[in-house]
Amino acid sequence: MAAPSPGPREVLAPSPEAGCRAVTSSRRGLLWRLRDKQSRLGLFEISPGHELHGMTCMMQAGLWAATQVSMDHPPTGPPSQDDFSEVLTQVHEGFELGTLAGPAFAWLRRSLGLAEEDYQAALGPGGPYLQFLSTSKSKASFFLSHDQRFFLKTQGRREVQALLAHLPRYVQHLQRHPHSLLARLLGVHSLRVDRGKKTYFIVMQSVFYPAGRISERYDIKGCEVSRWVDPAPEGSPIVLVLKDLNFQGKTINLGPQRNWFLRQMELDTTFLRELNVLDYSLLMAFQCLHEDERGLGSSLIFRTARSVQGAQSPEESGVQNRRLLPDAPNALHILDGPEQRYFLGVVDLATVYGLRKRLEHLWKTLRYPGRTFSTVSPARYARRLCQWVEEHTE
């Protein structure tokens, strides 16, 4: 079957057999609720009556149909220039969902080993999206798929334009460095209700997955202004992402993995500096390893084969900064230290150091003399975050 033609297109969207209303109104069994309760601790279902329920139902139906297009027209090779610029608008009852650079993202998902059927099932109307209490100062809305595997975030038009402009180089960077810590961006979309204003959102792999045993979460920028979060009361089910000042006095014990981590942070932040990007974060989470999970164990052969797959030579593997991946879901964002498992990823890659940010830098220099804040030049931002990582790892 021929691939879809490039450029803006508008088509009538197919509908999933089971719509969102049917799923959310169905009665769930007690066993399902008990089994799901622990893994969703601190999260809230966006169910009927929630102010964002209507919006997320449209996102689910739209993403189901958008993924169906890439299943019907799978990529046959690396993305072309036309693939990066394609815009597909699917018309649904009461709304439109746009898919930007769809063929390029379909190829990227395939390169990550992500089956389109799994992607469609997780993001479609198979269960309500989840919400958590965000400590971000942005006006964005944040969601998780019902299985917590994928993260969705609304974005401004300017940020989406930056992401799409950088997308070819982002894909190239991931090809050169398959074990990069950069968050895996899986889709960029727009939602337009009743011919109103478009809402843009992105889909990416969740860094904090699987989340069942995670004990602490942090968002690190390497500075101090506005980088404290009041922790949740002891025993509270609320999941909070803490910040730099909350991490004072703590270290990340990576053992032999430390050198790899420092090198990969250098490679990734250098790439972001070249894109003139700043204000990104290093997400971190901790999970204690059980006794039988410590060390390489019997999975060494599997992990070695999985980690060097595609490397042409030891020299190329070294340039790519590959490592032994753990035998676990979301392995690209997981590093195992001697006693703890760490979930690590660099997120928020869309803020460009333009005139607005330069003016903000000048204002903050006057407002916070002698203190460190996030709005600095991309070169200084990258250098400072790498320095933070070096000082807080062992």
Side-chain angles (χ1 to χ4, degrees):
M1 186 176 293
S5 58
R9 293 187 296 133
E10 186 171 300
V11 298
L12 187 65
S15 298
E17 293 181 2
C20 186
R21 288 188 300 271
V23 171
T24 55
S25 63
S26 64
R27 298 182 62 184
R28 293 173 176 160
L30 175 62
L31 180 60
W32 186 93
R33 293 198 303 271
L34 290 174
R35 183 184 61 195
D36 204 48
K37 183 177 180 180
Q38 181 62 34
S39 66
R40 296 188 179 189
L41 192 64
L43 299 172
F44 310 93
E45 288 189 358
I46 302 177
S47 51
H50 192 290
E51 61 178 350
L52 297 174
H53 179 251
M55 174 183 175
T56 57
C57 279
M58 288 184 277
M59 293 168 69
Q60 288 182 309
L63 289 172
W64 187 96
T67 309
Q68 191 63 44
V69 172
S70 60
M71 292 167 64
D72 294 339
H73 306 277
T76 57
S80 66
Q81 185 175 351
D82 287 338
D83 292 333
F84 285 113
S85 61
E86 179 177 297
V87 179
L88 172 66
T89 300
Q90 293 176 292
V91 181
H92 298 255
E93 184 178 351
F95 72 95
E96 299 173 355
L97 188 113
T99 299
L100 292 74
F105 282 114
W107 181 86
L108 182 57
R109 294 193 295 268
R110 173 179 282 193
S111 72
L112 295 171
L114 176 57
E116 293 292 82
E117 293 82 0
D118 294 341
Y119 187 69
Q120 185 184 56
L123 292 169
Y129 286 167
L130 306 174
Q131 189 178 35
F132 57 93
L133 187 64
S134 172
T135 55
S136 171
K137 290 197 169 185
S138 75
K139 297 180 180 179
S141 297
F142 303 86
F143 313 108
L144 286 169
S145 58
H146 63 86
D147 60 359
Q148 303 184 49
R149 188 177 178 185
F150 302 110
F151 180 86
L152 301 92
K153 178 185 178 182
T154 60
Q155 296 263 216
R157 183 178 180 180
R158 183 182 290 106
E159 288 78 15
V160 165
Q161 289 174 334
L163 283 174
L164 293 175
H166 297 154
L167 185 58
R169 293 181 66 182
Y170 169 82
V171 170
Q172 188 178 55
H173 180 76
L174 295 186
Q175 287 181 284
R176 289 176 177 172
H177 304 289
H179 296 171
S180 166
L181 290 165
L182 297 184
R184 294 320 192 257
L185 188 62
L186 304 175
V188 175
H189 300 272
S190 65
L191 178 67
R192 188 179 186 187
V193 182
D194 295 330
R195 296 288 177 178
K197 185 179 179 181
K198 288 182 179 179
T199 297
Y200 292 92
F201 66 94
I202 63 171
V203 183
M204 57 181 249
Q205 279 188 188
S206 174
V207 174
F208 300 153
Y209 174 83
R213 288 162 49 199
I214 288 178
S215 58
E216 299 176 66
R217 297 166 172 82
Y218 293 89
D219 177 312
I220 301 296
K221 291 183 182 289
C223 59
E224 59 180 320
V225 172
S226 300
R227 302 304 296 166
W228 168 265
V229 172
D230 290 331
E234 189 173 349
S236 170
I238 295 176
V239 173
L240 286 181
V241 179
L242 305 175
K243 297 185 179 181
D244 300 61
L245 296 180
N246 299 94
F247 198 77
Q248 286 185 339
K250 301 182 180 182
T251 57
I252 308 166
N253 184 7
L254 293 173
Q257 301 262 35
R258 180 176 184 265
N259 288 338
W260 177 89
F261 179 52
L262 296 180
R263 175 58 178 157
Q264 193 58 55
M265 284 295 298
E266 180 184 359
L267 290 169
D268 288 335
T269 57
T270 296
F271 168 69
L272 295 174
R273 184 195 69 206
E274 292 170 352
L275 294 183
N276 202 33
V277 165
L278 74 158
D279 216 20
Y280 43 89
S281 296
L282 172 64
L283 290 187
M284 302 189 308
F286 302 163
Q287 171 188 310
C288 286
L289 290 172
H290 293 154
E291 192 68 36
D292 59 352
E293 294 174 320
R294 299 175 185 177
L296 296 180
S298 60
S299 62
L300 176 60
I301 296 177
F302 172 82
R303 291 170 57 187
T304 302
R306 181 180 182 184
S307 301
V308 303
Q309 185 178 11
Q312 300 302 310
S313 64
E315 291 77 14
E316 182 184 11
S317 183
V319 170
Q320 292 180 330
N321 198 42
R322 290 175 179 261
R323 65 184 173 95
L324 290 178
L325 295 176
D327 184 10
N330 201 26
L332 291 171
H333 287 302
I334 290 176
L335 269 77
D336 285 345
E339 297 185 354
Q340 295 209 79
R341 168 163 290 178
Y342 298 94
F343 296 77
L344 299 158
V346 179
V347 301
D348 297 336
L349 315 178
T351 303
V352 175
Y353 195 54
L355 178 60
R356 179 178 298 187
K357 285 295 176 181
R358 292 173 189 272
L359 293 174
E360 184 180 330
H361 168 73
L362 292 175
W363 179 82
K364 287 186 175 180
T365 300
L366 298 173
R367 178 71 175 82
Y368 304 108
R371 301 181 67 191
T372 56
F373 47 83
S374 62
T375 312
V376 294
S377 71
R380 185 176 176 188
Y381 195 96
R383 184 170 60 251
R384 190 173 65 187
L385 186 57
C386 286
Q387 183 179 350
W388 187 97
V389 167
E390 188 165 359
E391 292 173 351
H392 290 82
T393 53
E394 58 184 20

